Amino acid sequence: MMDCYLGIDIGSISTKGVIIDDRRRIVARTYLWTEGNPADAARRVVADLGSQVDRNAVRVGAVGTTGSARRLVGAMCGATVVKNEITAHAVGTTFLHPDVRTILEIGGQDSKIICVENGIAVDYAMNTLCAAGTGAFLSSQAHRLGVEVEEFGSIALTSKKPANIAARCTVFAESDLVHKIQVGYAREDIIAGLCRAVATNYLNNVGKGKQIVAPVVFQGGVSKNAGVVRAFEDELGMDVIVDADGHLMGAFGVALLAAEAAPRITSAGDASGNAGAQAEAFDFDALRSFEFATREVECQKCANRCEIICVFRNGVIIDSWGNRCEQGAVKTETYAKAPSSSLLP
C-alpha cells in the first residue's frame, strides 16, 4: 500500500486537485471549472482523482485545502491542513525551484506576486479589484473576437507588431479593443496586444513597488498562454520559467503541507511507540454519501454582531468561522442529541 496525500485548490473560477506519493511526485491531477458551486466542484475533483489511481494500492493519509473556499472544502474533506494561497504557492514552487526569487501567478479572477529569499516568502501582493490582468479578462475578449482562449498564445506569437491596448482597467481595455477592431488591426496583432496588456497591467498594479529578481516562475492558468509568457519576458528582460503543472501549484503546495502534517506511521506503531496506531485513510466515496450545506448566522451576543458561516453535514454542524470572540464560538464537536440550532450562538 502506497502512502499518498491529496491537495485541493478551490477558487472562484477553477478548482484544482493533485495526489502526490511518498516521494512527493504527482500521481494524479485534475483541473475543472468551479461553476459557482465549490461543494459540487470538490466532489467532482475528488471523484476524478480517485478514478486515476488504484484505490486498492493507494492510501491517502492526509488532505490539504487552499483557495477562496478552502475552509468549506476543508470541512467537507476532513482536511489536516487548511492554508492560504500565498503559503501554498510558495511551498510548492520552492520545492521544485529552491532558488526561485519571484513567483508571478495569474488566475481566473485574481493575481498575486510572491517575493522569496532563501526559500522563504518575504513579501507578497494580491490584486482582486481589477479584472484586466486576469484569465477572466482574456476569456471575455476571446469570446468577443470569436477565438478560443486556448488559441491565444499561438496566435499572439505570430504577431510582428502587437497593438497597443490600454491596460489600465477592463473598461479602457475593452473600449480600446473595439477601436482597434474598427480601424482594421490584424487579429494576431490585437491578440498579442491583449497578452501584452495583461502583463503590463500586472506589473503596474500587482508588481508595483516590488523588486522582481530572477529566477522568475510564472504560474496559474494564464501561464499556459505563450503570448503572455513572451510579454512578461519582453517587459522584464529576463527568462520566465513555466512548469507543466504550474496551474496546479497551489494544490501541489498544500498537498506537500498535508504530507508534512500527516501522522508518521510505522509497522510497529507511531512515533510515540503506540503499537497499532493508524490514521484514518481518506474515503474517496464519502463525499457522495453526505449532504453538505452552509448557513450564515448573525451572532447576537455582543456588539460585534459577527456573521458566522456554519457548515452542516447531514444537518449536523461540522465547522464554523467568522466569530471574533469566544462568545460566538459554535460547538462543532457534537454529533449531539440536541438539535443543531441549539448549538448556534
Side-chain angles (χ1 to χ4, degrees):
M1 184 71 72
M2 181 172 62
D3 285 327
C4 291
Y5 308 94
L6 190 153
I8 301 177
D9 178 2
I10 186 151
S12 55
I13 297 295
S14 61
T15 298
K16 290 74 68 176
V18 302
I19 295 176
I20 62 172
D21 63 14
D22 54 1
R23 296 175 63 182
R24 307 311 189 250
R25 299 173 303 183
I26 297 177
V27 297
R29 53 176 64 76
T30 188
Y31 183 105
L32 52 80
W33 304 120
T34 305
E35 297 178 344
N37 189 336
D40 181 62
R43 284 190 174 98
R44 289 185 284 125
V45 160
V46 168
D48 191 10
L49 291 173
S51 70
Q52 297 178 41
V53 297
D54 181 355
R55 299 195 199 178
N56 295 319
V58 165
R59 175 185 175 277
V60 173
V63 178
T65 60
T66 189
S68 57
R70 60 186 178 273
R71 289 293 302 266
L72 169 61
V73 175
M76 291 175 60
C77 297
T80 305
V81 172
V82 178
K83 291 291 185 179
N84 64 57
E85 302 95 310
I86 299 297
T87 300
H89 278 269
V91 168
T93 308
T94 54
F95 180 86
L96 296 177
H97 303 281
D99 60 342
V100 65
R101 291 296 307 278
T102 310
I103 302 170
L104 316 178
E105 196 269 344
I106 302 181
Q109 283 196 329
D110 58 23
S111 50
K112 62 183 73 71
I113 185 171
I114 306 172
C115 301
V116 180
E117 289 184 10
N118 300 318
I120 299 173
V122 295
D123 195 11
Y124 73 93
M126 294 187 68
N127 178 31
T128 59
L129 297 177
C130 179
T134 67
F137 168 72
L138 285 177
S139 294
S140 64
Q141 304 318 311
H143 179 72
R144 182 189 296 273
L145 291 167
V147 177
E148 294 296 326
V149 71
E150 291 81 6
E151 300 175 12
F152 256 36
S154 58
I155 294 174
L157 295 182
T158 66
S159 171
K160 302 299 183 183
K161 188 176 182 180
N164 184 21
I165 305 289
R168 290 166 297 196
C169 75
T170 303
V171 175
F172 290 136
E174 290 185 344
S175 176
D176 207 12
L177 171 65
V178 171
H179 174 69
K180 294 295 191 295
I181 294 173
Q182 290 173 339
V183 298
Y185 274 70
R187 186 179 65 166
E188 63 271 19
D189 292 339
I190 292 175
I191 291 174
L194 287 169
C195 293
R196 191 170 300 277
V198 168
T200 56
N201 178 278
Y202 177 96
L203 295 173
N204 291 334
N205 290 283
V206 186
K208 186 177 181 179
K210 305 298 181 187
Q211 187 175 7
I212 298 177
V213 180
V216 176
V217 176
F218 180 27
Q219 53 198 217
V222 177
S223 69
K224 297 300 181 183
N225 186 317
V228 178
V229 175
R230 172 73 62 82
F232 270 121
E233 291 181 331
D234 291 344
E235 292 293 323
L236 295 173
M238 62 181 73
D239 291 336
V240 172
I241 301 167
V242 178
D243 294 305
D245 290 315
H247 58 304
L248 305 173
M249 199 53 59
F252 177 64
V254 82
L256 291 173
L257 291 168
E260 292 301 313
R264 296 292 183 265
I265 303 297
T266 67
S267 58
D270 65 11
S272 303
N274 297 324
Q278 184 70 26
E280 183 178 352
F282 177 74
D283 184 354
F284 284 94
D285 297 318
L287 292 186
R288 293 189 295 179
S289 60
F290 291 113
E291 287 296 325
F292 294 91
T294 58
R295 177 181 167 192
E296 186 178 282
V297 179
E298 184 179 281
C299 181
Q300 305 286 335
K301 293 185 177 179
C302 76
N304 284 328
R305 296 293 181 92
C306 295
E307 293 181 352
I308 303 173
I309 305 299
C310 300
V311 182
F312 295 81
R313 182 172 66 189
N314 289 347
V316 177
I317 301 171
I318 60 172
D319 200 2
S320 67
W321 57 88
N323 55 297
R324 285 174 282 176
C325 72
E326 292 184 359
Q327 294 187 71
V330 178
K331 298 177 182 177
T332 59
E333 70 279 0
T334 312
Y335 278 57
K337 294 181 181 179
S340 292
S341 60
S342 68
L343 306 177
L344 301 177

